[in-house]
Amino acid sequence: MKTKIEKNFKAVDFMRKVREELSILYNTDKKRYFEEIKKAMADFKTTRQKVQS
């Protein structure tokens, strides 16, 4: 995932967009949805371990 800097970033709007996209994915392809969640959690844990080191 590439980081983008936006001047008018709105966290609530971003979370609504992500939640909507994940809801659509969950309703259409549950297997891929859970793969995406597992990947996101693994990436989060890796990043967190790097910060703590």
Side-chain angles (χ1 to χ4, degrees), residues 4-5 7 12 16-17 26 31 35 45 51:
K4 297 178 185 177
I5 297 175
K7 293 181 181 180
V12 174
R16 285 181 180 146
K17 180 181 174 188
Y26 180 80
K31 183 179 177 183
E35 289 171 358
K45 288 179 182 179
V51 169

Side-chain angles (χ1 to χ4, degrees), residues 10-51:
K10 303 288 185 201
V12 174
D13 293 337
F14 174 76
M15 290 304 299
R16 285 181 180 146
K17 180 181 174 188
V18 170
R19 184 176 59 209
E20 180 182 350
E21 290 173 359
L22 287 174
S23 293
I24 292 168
L25 182 59
Y26 180 80
N27 289 325
T28 58
D29 189 356
K30 287 181 176 57
K31 183 179 177 183
R32 183 165 166 242
Y33 169 83
F34 286 111
E35 289 171 358
E36 292 287 330
I37 296 295
K38 288 178 186 177
K39 182 182 179 295
M41 285 302 297
D43 291 345
F44 172 76
K45 288 179 182 179
T46 302
T47 303
R48 194 158 176 223
Q49 287 176 349
K50 288 179 184 176
V51 169

